[in-house]
């Protein structure tokens, strides 16, 4: 079993929809979590960084962490075609190393 | 412009050849990382360095070596390339000392024939 499981999709939604991206993890040592966005043939770009259970909001993006159920989510409100990308979740330990999910491919169509 | 640069952008390499992928950051970050990204497998850590002069093995280190002579540079060497090392390679860095956000370079696309 992978330490971080992520549904690869692909996920296709109409413009303006609310998108929910989810990951589960098994490593209880994870102390913080990140979401990255990766456009085709580009490097991953950090979107959200959360350190504890709860919600963190940044513009149209909300990251949610539930450590009791080992579940992390990213919500995108009012999705735009420019949000079309692969979204990667990751968990990190106190040693600074990240473990990534395999990524979810999202397409937002006009 | 602050960030991470990687070279080359892409490379086709014959099996058995030696290859060094270069990574340079100008953010004065203590920690640096090398990942490979393969379809269906996501990003996997190859090697890392928490500070200049130290290195460590990640999840998939076999066939790769790294060095960290200074803060800015973290080259990845394939001593004798094999086709299974065909992948996209990403270098990343983080501040260290509790600053955990990792920032990624643009990647090197390597094909070993």
């Amino acid at each position: 079993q992978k330490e971080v499981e992520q549904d690869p999709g692909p996920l296709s939604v109409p413009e303006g929809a609310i998108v929910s991206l989810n990951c589960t993890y098994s490593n209880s040592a994870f102390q913080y979590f990140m979401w990255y966005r990766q456009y085709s043939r580009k490097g991953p770009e950090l979107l959200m960084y959360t350190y504890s259970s709860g919600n963190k909001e940044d513009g149209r993006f909300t990251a949610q962490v539930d450590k009791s159920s080992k579940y992390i989510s990213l919500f995108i409100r009012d999705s735009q075609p420019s949000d079309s990308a692969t979204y990667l979740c990751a968990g990190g330990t106190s040693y600074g190393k990240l473990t990534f999910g395999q990524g979810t491919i999202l397409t937002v169509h006009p | 412009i602050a960030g991470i640069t990687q070279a080359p952008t892409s490379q086709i390499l014959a099996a058995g050849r030696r290859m060094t992928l270069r990574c340079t950051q100008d953010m004065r970050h203590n920690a640096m990382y090398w990942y490979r990204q393969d379809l269906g497998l996501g990003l996997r850590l190859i090697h890392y360095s928490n500070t200049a002069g130290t290195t460590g093995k990640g999840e998939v280190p076999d066939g790769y070596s790294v060095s960290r002579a200074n803060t800015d540079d973290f080259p990845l060497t394939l001593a004798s390339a094999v086709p299974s090392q065909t992948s996209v390679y990403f270098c990343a860095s983080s501040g260290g000392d509790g600053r955990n956000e990792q920032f990624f370079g643009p990647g090197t696309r390597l094909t070993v024939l």
Side-chain angles (χ1 to χ4, degrees), chain A residues 36-47:
Chain A
Y36 286 84
R37 177 175 62 196
Q38 185 176 23
Y39 292 116
S40 180
R41 302 182 78 89
K42 300 290 186 182
E45 170 195 7
L46 181 63
L47 270 181

Side-chain angles (χ1 to χ4, degrees), chain B residues 31-95:
Chain B
M32 297 186 75
Y33 312 85
W34 274 106
Y35 294 89
R36 59 178 290 173
Q37 187 174 38
D38 303 288
L39 194 63
L41 296 176
L43 284 159
R44 293 180 294 167
L45 182 65
I46 304 171
H47 284 288
Y48 66 94
S49 169
N50 286 330
T51 189
T54 69
T55 62
K57 294 181 180 180
E59 180 184 356
V60 287
D62 294 342
Y64 305 95
S65 63
V66 292
S67 61
R68 187 89 184 277
N70 57 61
T71 298
D72 299 342
D73 301 299
F74 191 42
L76 176 73
T77 297
L78 289 67
S80 179
V82 295
S84 61
Q85 293 177 311
T86 294
S87 187
V88 182
Y89 291 85
F90 289 101
C91 180
S93 71
S94 67

Side-chain angles (χ1 to χ4, degrees), chain A residues 48-98:
Chain A
M48 301 288 280
Y49 168 53
T50 53
Y51 193 82
S52 59
S53 285
N55 294 350
K56 181 177 181 179
E57 189 173 317
D58 184 0
R60 297 184 295 111
F61 298 91
T62 299
Q64 191 172 80
V65 174
D66 183 345
K67 286 190 173 181
S68 63
S69 60
K70 295 187 174 65
Y71 197 83
I72 58 177
S73 301
L74 179 71
F75 299 96
I76 307 174
R77 292 184 299 280
D78 187 25
S79 56
Q80 303 295 311
S82 59
D83 295 327
S84 299
T86 298
Y87 289 80
L88 303 162
C89 62
T93 67
S94 59
Y95 301 105
K97 287 185 281 185
L98 291 179

Side-chain angles (χ1 to χ4, degrees), chain B residues 11-17 81-84 86 110-113:
Chain B
Q11 183 76 45
I12 299 174
L13 189 66
R17 297 296 296 267
V82 295
S84 61
T86 294
L110 181 66
T111 301
V112 182
L113 302 175

